[in-house]
Amino acid sequence: GRLTSLQSVSATGGRAFLPAIGVDRAGDATVAWLQRVRGLDYALEVSVRPAGGRFGAPVVLGHTQVSACCGIEGAGSPAVLSAFDDFGVGPEVAVAPDGAAVVAWKGATSMQVAERASGRCSVRRVRACFSATQSLAAGLAPRMSPTFLPGPQPKVVFGARDIAYLVWAGPSGLELAVTRGAGRRFGSASHIGSGADTFTMPSIALTGNGTLVIAWHWRGIFVSGAPIPGGIAVAVRDGSGALSTPVKLAPAPGTLEPGANAGPPTVLIDSHGQALIDWQQGNYQLEEAVRAPDGTIGPSGIIGTVMGSEPMVMDALGDTVLCYEAGPDAETFWQLRPPGATFGAPTAV
């Protein structure tokens, strides 16, 4: 329970952004971030730390380009990035219990991934632990106008036998790629699309029987002066690899702000194998739809009131915790939801 002393991992005097971290069951940690090289060019750097040890020198896994507008290449100088991945460019780090890992990020023209097989990675041989960077289908280009859209926001989860599942938002829908085992390459991406709708902000989780549950925010065509249609949608990939038809979730009765002002969703799997699809609807309401193990999805319901939105986490007992910043003084609040109940009132940390 004791914190270690502070360690600087990125280059002293450099500009490092968007750290992402994963830890295996042995306590070994992998951290990745974007390190500015020059102008609009950024390197994707990674460092590892054995349990109880120190992080080693960072190595470069790949590169990308961002801009002053929305994390896309080409416009403005220099790039403006914050501590949060506002524009969905990544990186995303996923680490399996036995040490297998995937790092994913938006490259200049495609999604980029690097894989690592199970086992311990020496701090002196980090680059040798990871595969050569693999290019996948392009990610969604972020934009500010006419309405804000984030980028691909890659999400990775590990299943049985260290098979990794990667989902990201593409230009015309979601893309799903699956590895063939620990440290092995991703196969060709499967596409999830729906006409003229734009899909963003994906979230994924695996059930105990190997069903991948995917939720995302969908948005219809913007028409000046008219409300933007939109909401939350769900699809699943079963154990055989078959993808279901996307299902759009209806807002809960009593929703104050229906439409595109929804998300991002979070998918949680409880101890009964139910998939809880939660999202913020409008500025204040938390809503949820539950997918039963037999595949049926119940009606949406309001499960709480919030002042901000961040991803939720669930412990082994089924308690769900939400933590976020809100208010004019950017205070930190947390809320707790016991299994089957609604979230309690916000409590300041």
Side-chain angles (χ1 to χ4, degrees):
R2 182 176 60 86
L3 291 174
T4 65
S5 59
L6 184 67
Q7 180 185 356
S8 295
V9 182
S10 62
T12 303
R15 299 184 66 187
F17 301 91
L18 309 180
I21 193 167
V23 181
D24 65 21
R25 65 184 167 211
D28 295 350
T30 300
V31 62
W33 65 92
L34 293 183
Q35 183 79 33
R36 187 182 177 203
V37 179
R38 66 180 63 85
L40 306 178
D41 296 325
Y42 281 74
L44 190 288
E45 297 193 353
V46 64
S47 175
V48 301
R49 187 214 68 171
R54 304 276 289 175
F55 280 99
V59 299
V60 175
L61 291 187
H63 292 82
T64 189
Q65 288 186 319
V66 296
S67 81
C69 177
C70 317
I72 58 175
E73 62 275 11
S77 66
V80 176
L81 294 176
S82 70
F84 303 99
D85 191 3
D86 298 325
F87 304 122
V89 297
E92 168 83 352
V93 174
V95 178
D98 62 7
V102 170
V103 181
W105 69 98
K106 180 187 181 296
T109 59
S110 63
M111 281 301 304
Q112 301 286 294
V113 292
E115 306 89 15
R116 184 180 74 205
S118 59
R120 173 157 284 180
C121 179
S122 168
V123 296
R124 300 179 185 277
R125 301 185 68 251
V126 175
R127 188 62 192 90
C129 293
F130 283 90
S131 67
T133 301
Q134 180 181 0
S135 297
L136 300 174
L140 179 67
R143 72 177 189 220
M144 291 296 292
S145 179
T147 58
F148 173 71
L149 284 178
Q153 295 187 313
K155 295 293 185 293
V156 185
V157 65
F158 277 98
R161 302 184 305 280
D162 285 342
I163 294 174
Y165 302 80
L166 168 64
V167 174
W168 69 98
S172 59
L174 296 187
E175 306 293 339
L176 164 64
V178 183
T179 62
R180 299 178 178 89
R184 300 185 66 181
R185 310 284 273 178
F186 282 89
S188 299
S190 300
H191 181 71
I192 305 173
S194 180
D197 294 340
T198 299
F199 291 176
T200 63
M201 300 183 288
S203 177
I204 57 176
L206 269 173
T207 67
N209 65 3
T211 297
L212 182 72
V213 182
I214 311 164
W216 65 92
H217 174 270
W218 68 271
R219 182 177 299 188
I221 297 175
F222 175 79
V223 178
S224 181
I228 307 171
I232 303 300
V234 181
V236 300
R237 179 188 186 271
D238 65 23
S240 71
L243 279 167
S244 71
T245 301
V247 174
K248 293 179 178 179
L249 304 179
T255 294
L256 299 177
E257 299 175 78
N261 192 16
T266 299
V267 182
L268 303 169
I269 308 299
D270 69 12
S271 59
H272 303 292
Q274 298 181 125
L276 312 182
I277 301 113
D278 299 334
W279 69 94
Q280 182 173 337
Q281 185 71 49
N283 291 319
Y284 303 106
Q285 292 177 313
L286 273 177
E287 301 196 1
E288 178 180 83
V290 178
R291 180 186 183 273
D294 66 3
T296 58
I297 300 177
S300 303
I302 298 171
I303 59 171
T305 301
V306 295
M307 297 182 291
S309 177
E310 292 294 335
M312 305 173 199
V313 294
M314 178 183 288
D315 64 19
L317 300 177
D319 297 320
T320 307
V321 178
L322 176 69
C323 188
Y324 53 88
E325 284 187 353
D329 299 321
E331 295 176 279
T332 301
F333 296 86
W334 70 279
Q335 292 176 244
L336 176 66
R337 179 197 183 200
T342 58
F343 277 94
T347 301
V349 175

